[in-house]
Amino acid sequence: MPTPDLAPISSYWDATADAFDDGPDHGLRDPQVRAAWSRRLAGWLPATPSDVLDLGCGTGSLTLLLAGQGHRPTGVDLSPRMVEQAGRKLTSAGFTVPLLVGDAGDPPVAAGASFDVILVRHLVWTLPDPEAALRRWLGLLRPAGRLVLVEGHWRSARAGDAYAPGAPPLRWPGGVTAQELTEVLRAAGARVSHHERLTDPALWGRPIEDERYVLITELIK
């Protein structure tokens, strides 16, 4: 299968980077929203400091929470502008965190690298080949590692639609249901150990009516 041209996607997110943190669940500027995400992360991740790969890290808001909780995050995003803003955000808070520009679906980490946790929020729907990405992510986990997927299904859309001009067609352009993602994960060799609906308005800064959830997986032994 030919490698898709991701330049239009990178340009799309570069263009949104300056205003990205205006979204309550993106910038986490509201103390209540920030506290809601901090509580969820503390419950989803190990209690001990862990190596966490934050894929599609955007402007680094969740990366900053991870570092503040004592974890050792590495952020990856396709958008150089997003990574630039994440770097400023983390540095100003006193943290030195590796931030990589590259395809989160095929993370540009060092050969042989592995992680205790891979955290992915609202990224799977943007990937031209989500099944291949999920298999790659599972391959980067240590034996007792976990994949934390915060995803949702927001609107009806036809498979094959793209969200940016010139971008590759998408498998799940309107998001993916928890049931469908669970089935794909099972086929990739992972078991969902935790499924939680994320209906708390504090997470989003407003009430939501669509399907939003977290799936936490572990490898099938």
Side-chain angles (χ1 to χ4, degrees), residues 5-41:
D5 179 11
L6 301 181
I9 298 178
S10 176
S11 297
Y12 175 89
W13 291 111
D14 273 349
T16 66
D18 287 344
F20 189 77
D21 278 357
D22 293 344
D25 56 310
H26 294 162
L28 308 185
R29 292 166 173 162
D30 185 315
Q32 288 187 316
V33 177
R34 186 167 58 252
W37 281 103
S38 182
R39 286 193 299 272
R40 292 314 191 285
L41 289 178

Side-chain angles (χ1 to χ4, degrees), residues 11-199:
S11 297
Y12 175 89
W13 291 111
D14 273 349
T16 66
D18 287 344
F20 189 77
D21 278 357
D22 293 344
D25 56 310
H26 294 162
L28 308 185
R29 292 166 173 162
D30 185 315
Q32 288 187 316
V33 177
R34 186 167 58 252
W37 281 103
S38 182
R39 286 193 299 272
R40 292 314 191 285
L41 289 178
W44 298 337
L45 271 63
T48 55
S50 302
D51 293 316
V52 183
L53 185 60
D54 182 7
L55 295 177
C57 67
T59 60
S61 294
L62 293 187
T63 320
L64 178 57
L65 290 182
L66 293 169
Q69 292 180 0
H71 297 295
R72 298 177 294 273
T74 296
V76 175
D77 202 277
L78 187 63
S79 161
R81 289 283 294 127
M82 291 282 194
V83 170
E84 179 184 331
Q85 294 202 27
R88 287 200 297 266
K89 185 179 295 184
L90 287 151
T91 298
S92 65
F95 295 105
T96 301
V97 171
L99 297 171
L100 309 175
V101 176
D103 180 8
D106 188 8
V109 296
S114 62
F115 299 87
D116 301 303
V117 178
I118 295 178
L119 173 66
V120 184
R121 183 174 72 162
H122 295 173
L123 174 71
V124 168
W125 73 275
T126 72
L127 301 176
D129 190 350
E131 290 95 338
L134 288 164
R135 290 192 297 270
R136 292 189 192 103
W137 299 344
L138 292 168
L140 290 172
L141 286 174
R142 291 169 183 160
R146 64 186 74 173
L147 176 60
V148 179
L149 298 172
V150 179
E151 296 296 337
H153 185 247
W154 302 284
R155 61 184 176 86
S156 297
R158 297 175 304 172
D161 285 352
Y163 66 88
L170 301 181
R171 165 77 182 277
W172 296 315
V176 56
T177 67
Q179 179 178 352
E180 186 171 8
L181 187 52
T182 297
E183 292 171 356
V184 171
L185 286 164
R186 186 180 299 115
R191 181 180 71 86
V192 173
S193 57
H194 179 71
H195 170 209
E196 179 183 346
R197 293 291 297 270
L198 301 179
T199 56

